[in-house]
Amino acid sequence: MAFWAALSPSIVEYFEGEDFYRCGYCKNESGSRSNGMWAHSMTVQDYQDLIDRGWRRSGKYVYKPVMNQTCCPQYTIRCRPLQFQPSKSHKKVLKKMLKFLAKGEISRGNCEDEPMEPAMEDAVAGDFGLINKLDIQCDLKTLSDDLKESLESEEKKKGKSSKKEESNELSRSQDIEEKLGSGEPSHSVKVHTAPKPGKGADLSKPPCRKAKEIRKERKRLKLMQQNPDGELGGLQARREPSFCPPKAKSNQPKSLEDLIFESLPENASHKLEVRLVPVSFEDPEFKSSFSQSFSLYVKYQMAIHQDPPDECGKTEFTRFLCNSPLEAENPPNGPDCGYGSFHQQYWLDGKIIAVGVIDILPYCVSSVYLYYDPDYSFLSLGVYSALREIAFTRQLHEKTSQLNYYYMGFYIHSCPKMKYKGQYRPSDLLCPETYVWVPIEQCLPSLENSKYCRFNQDPQAVDEGRSQEPDRLQVLYKKVVMPYGVYRKQQKDPSEEAAVLQYARLVGQACSERMLLFRS
């Protein structure tokens, strides 16, 4: 974690209280409730820790549903790609794409497949006006300059003593590294997340074989030992093909990668290319494709979500899907593409037909949004892109071993259109009270009885990452970084403490000590 410690800290501005929105799912005009903050900048490690506590971003606005009060509780869901096996319906989608690319065949069945985020964003569904109303006047560059000036001032004041504190900070960052180095948050309760012995898939072992095949193999070996040179030799020669490795291998189910990257004929009707582009106007590829990407977004929003033109303009598109608080990071042990926010563009015959917005974080690929050309709805691009993103996560895992998961946003059991995410298995839901991951199979019975559920079955379990020392929370105030314990002595407004303590409770102790809470 020494690399993460060397980065500029996250800077956030928290909004006190709970915001009320029109729900994009049940259409309740004020039923959706969440807490929110504006992230002027954020490290990928901080955002990873936040989404593991139920937070999620929409542009630079980061929000957390009030789970026990909101009309449609939204549970963070993650898929485990290393054990993922495509279902029959998934295979149909992949084969449909291959037939279209190879022969131009178009299968126009019922398109029931949903994109990864069918509504704008779960807590702020379609209401871009919300972010506009925030009217954030605080400039990131100004904040960065303030922070730099503050740190330089502190160094001059402390002199040699600062070196000792830096050593302490390094030691503290090494402690964090030990807690997070396992590739999963340190507060995960394994007794609830690990599969039962004998039922979990172990990728280090060879695939399971049918008992019938094993019995045939044993019988063949026994006969060979009894009469290696007799009449059975001819029998062996005739039956050999049924036992030879190529035949046995062909009986194994095709992997996700086999289905996606199956070779096409030289005279294929179409060519599909998937490009990973960093979300940055300084990136030439992102900049050159921006106009086409934006036009596709407008077409999608108007056709799929019936948005009027004035609600899907360039400003909204940029704020929602191009502006990201995540700072691009390229540690030596990270993926080749680095960490941060990206657009995964699907180019068909030289034209963009879909864009998957994703965040690549220390432990996962997080799906943010998908928009596509409605003319190609027959290709089930929502499902197809999700399967491509799962395969992409597996690819990143080969270089970066702790990157194990694919986060699909929120699972909403009370909304039929959002239950499809539970079909990507094995997957887990995040307990809204203790923030441990629980296999979705264990959660579904409870969700059938109640919209809001605590998934952790241990009644004694608590939130291990909760804020226990709020005075150590870091505050950026008047160009000075200080612990909240120092800042609190300068304040006389009693409501100030309530807001800061609420923020500390929601982000947890680790993030409260790393991120800077901006106070004006």
Side-chain angles (χ1 to χ4, degrees), residues 106-241:
I106 296 176
S107 175
R108 295 189 180 275
N110 293 327
C111 296
E112 299 177 352
D113 303 314
E114 296 287 343
M116 289 312 292
E117 292 297 345
M120 272 297 181
E121 264 296 322
D122 303 300
V124 290
D127 189 5
F128 288 117
L130 167 73
I131 298 178
N132 292 331
K133 290 172 189 174
L134 296 177
D135 193 23
I136 304 299
Q137 300 294 330
C138 201
D139 188 344
L140 173 58
K141 185 177 185 303
T142 303
L143 280 175
S144 298
D145 292 342
D146 290 349
L147 177 59
K148 184 177 179 182
E149 184 178 333
S150 168
L151 295 176
E152 289 176 352
S153 175
E154 289 296 314
E155 286 181 2
K156 290 179 181 178
K157 287 180 182 179
K158 295 179 182 178
K160 294 183 179 179
S161 64
S162 65
K163 294 184 178 180
K164 183 177 180 180
E165 291 187 9
E166 288 175 4
S167 176
N168 292 336
E169 284 296 313
L170 178 60
S171 175
R172 185 160 63 91
S173 71
Q174 290 172 343
D175 291 339
I176 296 172
E177 179 178 14
E178 290 176 2
K179 293 178 182 178
L180 301 178
S182 64
E184 223 178 299
S186 59
H187 54 270
S188 176
V189 179
K190 294 183 179 179
V191 67
H192 295 287
T193 59
K196 294 180 180 179
K199 294 188 178 181
D202 188 349
L203 295 183
S204 65
K205 296 180 179 179
C208 294
R209 297 169 59 193
K210 292 182 179 179
K212 186 176 180 181
E213 292 179 3
I214 295 174
R215 288 197 298 271
K216 284 184 177 180
E217 180 73 10
R218 287 176 180 168
K219 185 176 181 180
R220 182 179 71 87
L221 293 173
K222 186 176 181 181
L223 290 173
M224 286 176 62
Q225 290 174 353
Q226 290 176 350
N227 191 358
D229 300 317
E231 294 181 356
L232 288 174
L235 180 63
Q236 176 194 351
R238 290 194 299 271
R239 292 185 178 178
E240 186 69 32

Side-chain angles (χ1 to χ4, degrees), residues 287-322:
K287 194 172 181 179
S288 65
S289 62
F290 177 83
S291 178
Q292 187 180 164
S293 182
F294 167 62
S295 298
L296 177 63
Y297 166 79
V298 175
K299 184 177 182 180
Y300 171 81
Q301 293 298 139
M302 293 179 66
I304 303 298
H305 296 296
Q306 289 78 49
D307 285 356
D310 60 339
E311 288 186 11
C312 48
K314 190 172 293 185
T315 300
E316 287 78 15
F317 171 67
T318 302
R319 180 178 288 127
F320 176 44
L321 297 176
C322 301

Side-chain angles (χ1 to χ4, degrees), residues 438-455:
V438 181
I440 192 170
E441 294 85 355
Q442 297 180 25
C443 305
L444 295 180
S446 299
L447 288 172
E448 287 294 330
N449 297 323
S450 174
K451 286 184 178 181
Y452 174 75
C453 300
R454 170 192 166 111
F455 299 137

